[in-house]
Amino acid sequence: MNVMLPGTDKTTSVDPAPIISLRDIRKTFYRGTLAVEVLHGISLEIQAGEFVAIMGASGSGKSTLMNLIGLLDRPTTGSYRFDGSEVAALDADGRALLRREAFGFIFQQYNLLPTESATANVEMPAVYAGLPHGERVKRAEALLTQLGLADRLDHKPTQLSGGQQQRVSIARALMNGGAVILADEPTGALDSKSGEEVMRLLHDLNAQGHTILLITHDHDVAAQANRIIELKDGNIVSDRPVEHHGEHAEPIPSPAQPKRPERNRKTGFAPFDVLEAGRMALQALRSNLLRTLLTLLGIIIGVASVVAMLAIGDGAKQSVLDRITAMGTNLLLVRPGAPNIRQSGGVTATLTAADADAISAEVGNILAAVPEYTGNVTVRTGARDYVTQVNATTAPFPVAREWPVAEGIFFSESDVKSYLPVAVIGQTVVNNLFEGVDPIGRYVLLNNIPFQVIGVMTPKGATPWGADQDDIIYVPLSTGMLRLFGQRYVRTITVQVQDVTRINDTQEEIRQLLIARHRAEDFQIRNMASIIETAMETQNTLTILLGSIAAISLLVGGIGVMNIMLVSVTERTREIGVRMATGARRLNIMMQFNSEALAICTLGGLIGVALGLSVTWLFSYFGRPVIFSAEPVLLAFFCAFATGLLFGYLPARKAADLDPVVALAAE
């Protein structure tokens, strides 16, 4: 650059500030307690637009120097200024951002992702720079076309020759601009013709203004640069310009205006990152389909188990509650015998029909108080005999128990007072004695005493403890007590409460009334509401148990996902290094691998929900009680989603914490 000297009319040439400036750079590696210093105080400057070859034998430190210059590693001590800014102490993300803005890497082994096309490999740096998909595809295709690969855009690395793969690597290095191109033995794995093509491309890039740093041990390759820096045992032993004479058949072009890295690109987090992470995650899962399906299986089974078991558990709970509710939810059952004393059998002479009348007359909030006496009898009609139960009760029984008559009528209060021998029978009795015959108006013998059938009760089903409620005959209390049982005491008084919210107060009023009548507490009162509450708590406990067992299978599936993801990180260590070299930050790597775990668990959750609902439907098809509801489905799905986040975090963090240099060196 020409500048005017102060106080004169003369100009002089002044070199601009170097793009790379190293001062007393040292690098020490530690192997346990052993410290090995590889670089011993390296100092050098490289101007923008130079073509520099760094030479040295194996172990001389040239690859370590390249890693430091390319910000894949950091020096132990010393100053590294890039484009005028100190960068030696940058953290991992800071180095990643600068690599993305300023550097392009060309590796000896190409380091292309085997599952991606040539275009996708070239796109990679622009993904982390935040370039929209359409724009980066267009730029990647343009670069590949310029490098003679227009007919290989969709080819994967295994479908390309070594020279073609290296050209894809060069296009990738240029994707974000690549002000500085770091070429590590770019011709080392190529035949001579392909090597010449790669060197010609590097000269062309240098002529366009790119700074080229060529790492090589080949003197002939190094001689094509404009400057050679030679390393030996971690020291610079030679730094000389190269004068090109007639020995080169093709002249080395002069560089154009040197390229400086573009700044102010995207550095923060954006929704775009999530979308790209998801896209890359799906691509990675597609590339290893069998392992993905096996990993999905654990999540599918876990989610399906949660959905099916909770639906079946809720169905069983509702079935039990329906049976208890069918007995009446607003009932108080008064039984003879002192509280907390189990009766050994027979009838305890404490309750009478007069007690029921007193409850109806003197206690508020009562709809009905029905005395009952139940006993076994033999019923006969024609040539058929059948043993069943007879319940001697009063006219309000159907109202108190909310159990209507299906056919005929129930006996009235006048029938009770008149001691009429009439009967109302249950559906099971009808099925056993009157198969295909209308029982209304016919007579049956109860313990050889004739009773006329005047009604048939609505089918009720079994009790929660399995007793058949339809296997019974109802007769007037007066008739049954006198002619069938010879008793004046009752077994039960069923009290129907009007306002269920006051059932506990009503229970206490009845208790006090009966204590006053009997002068002792020789009875027990059972609250049906409390029975239902106890049954519900029991069923909830069983449902939680079933859900917990299913959740354990989901947990096992999550552990399987974490295990597979850890294996995936180990297998793809080099890929991670390549992504870091092209500008991926820790956040990008974490998002990619966590997205893979999340994609597995989300897809497994959806399939598991569908499978669980199918199993539940199958149970209902065969008559098992189930309840379809959104809560278990959403719970199972979001548990699977959370499993992906939780169990994907550790593998993702392990991937993000990898050192780029170590990752690139992985086999």
Side-chain angles (χ1 to χ4, degrees), residues 323-403:
R323 291 179 181 182
I324 297 177
T325 303
M327 299 171 62
T329 59
N330 59 342
L331 300 182
L332 294 172
L333 303 181
V334 185
R335 298 181 182 276
N340 303 319
I341 297 179
R342 186 172 181 177
Q343 303 301 317
S344 60
V347 179
T348 303
T350 60
L351 294 179
T352 65
D355 289 330
D357 294 336
I359 292 172
S360 295
E362 299 181 32
V363 178
N365 194 35
I366 299 295
L367 290 176
V370 181
E372 299 178 50
Y373 188 97
T374 304
N376 292 332
V377 300
T378 299
V379 56
R380 176 182 299 171
T381 179
R384 296 184 180 184
D385 286 349
Y386 181 67
V387 177
T388 185
Q389 280 193 328
V390 167
N391 187 343
T393 185
T394 56
F397 177 86
V399 177
R401 287 294 184 92
E402 297 181 356
W403 192 351

Side-chain angles (χ1 to χ4, degrees), residues 32 86 111 266 331 407 449 533 557 608 652:
E86 180 63 47
N111 284 338
K266 182 178 77 72
L331 300 182
E407 300 178 46
I449 300 172
E533 183 179 350

Side-chain angles (χ1 to χ4, degrees), residues 25-39:
I25 292 292
R26 296 177 183 272
K27 180 63 181 178
T28 302
F29 291 100
Y30 294 91
R31 302 289 184 267
T33 58
L34 180 63
V36 179
E37 189 173 75
V38 177
L39 298 180

Side-chain angles (χ1 to χ4, degrees), residues 194-520:
S194 297
E196 290 174 2
E197 291 178 355
V198 169
M199 290 305 300
R200 186 179 303 112
L201 288 172
L202 292 178
H203 286 303
D204 289 343
L205 293 176
N206 183 236
Q208 295 168 20
H210 295 273
T211 303
I212 309 294
L213 270 69
L214 176 66
I215 310 299
T216 184
H217 65 277
D218 189 326
H219 286 274
D220 291 336
V221 172
Q224 298 185 49
N226 296 325
R227 175 184 171 191
I228 297 177
I229 298 173
E230 188 171 354
L231 294 182
K232 184 176 182 181
D233 296 331
N235 292 292
I236 296 178
V237 297
S238 173
D239 184 351
R240 65 185 187 278
V242 178
E243 302 211 5
H244 300 285
H245 299 292
E247 67 268 19
H248 296 292
E250 187 174 332
I252 306 299
S254 300
Q257 183 67 28
K259 291 180 69 67
R260 294 278 175 173
E262 297 179 24
R263 299 303 176 102
N264 300 321
R265 293 190 180 184
K266 182 178 77 72
T267 59
F269 170 81
F272 171 83
D273 295 311
V274 178
L275 296 176
E276 284 303 321
R279 186 195 65 80
M280 290 188 289
L282 292 176
Q283 175 63 28
L285 297 177
R286 249 194 329 264
S287 66
N288 204 330
L289 196 56
L290 179 60
R291 185 167 69 185
T292 300
L293 292 176
L294 292 175
T295 308
L296 277 173
L297 193 59
I299 300 298
I300 291 171
I301 293 174
V303 171
S305 299
V306 171
V307 172
M309 287 190 175
L310 289 180
I312 293 170
D314 286 343
K317 178 177 71 175
Q318 191 60 48
S319 176
V320 171
L321 293 178
D322 287 345
R323 291 179 181 182
I324 297 177
T325 303
M327 299 171 62
T329 59
N330 59 342
L331 300 182
L332 294 172
L333 303 181
V334 185
R335 298 181 182 276
N340 303 319
I341 297 179
R342 186 172 181 177
Q343 303 301 317
S344 60
V347 179
T348 303
T350 60
L351 294 179
T352 65
D355 289 330
D357 294 336
I359 292 172
S360 295
E362 299 181 32
V363 178
N365 194 35
I366 299 295
L367 290 176
V370 181
E372 299 178 50
Y373 188 97
T374 304
N376 292 332
V377 300
T378 299
V379 56
R380 176 182 299 171
T381 179
R384 296 184 180 184
D385 286 349
Y386 181 67
V387 177
T388 185
Q389 280 193 328
V390 167
N391 187 343
T393 185
T394 56
F397 177 86
V399 177
R401 287 294 184 92
E402 297 181 356
W403 192 351
V405 175
E407 300 178 46
I409 60 172
F410 202 82
F411 46 80
S412 64
E413 193 63 39
S414 63
D415 294 336
V416 176
K417 292 179 180 179
S418 302
Y419 292 81
L420 287 183
V422 292
V424 180
I425 61 179
Q427 189 62 51
T428 300
V429 178
V430 174
N431 295 339
N432 281 280
L433 296 178
F434 299 99
E435 185 176 356
V437 178
D438 184 4
I440 304 298
R442 295 181 177 273
Y443 283 86
V444 294
L445 296 177
L446 303 181
N447 289 348
N448 295 319
I449 300 172
F451 280 76
Q452 185 181 24
V453 178
I454 62 172
V456 177
M457 301 297 291
T458 302
K460 196 77 167 179
T463 64
W465 47 90
D468 186 359
Q469 297 183 85
D470 299 318
D471 190 8
I472 198 165
I473 297 175
Y474 294 96
V475 300
L477 179 67
S478 56
T479 310
M481 299 289 280
L482 177 65
R483 305 187 65 180
L484 293 178
F485 305 119
Q487 294 283 347
R488 66 188 186 88
Y489 295 101
V490 298
R491 290 183 184 270
T492 307
I493 297 176
T494 301
V495 180
Q496 185 185 30
V497 177
Q498 184 173 11
D499 185 357
V500 180
T501 61
R502 294 171 51 203
I503 192 168
N504 292 329
D505 295 336
T506 304
Q507 178 178 340
E508 182 59 24
E509 289 182 40
I510 294 173
R511 175 175 170 272
Q512 294 299 332
L513 172 65
L514 294 180
I515 289 175
R517 287 176 60 82
H518 297 186
R519 301 185 184 279

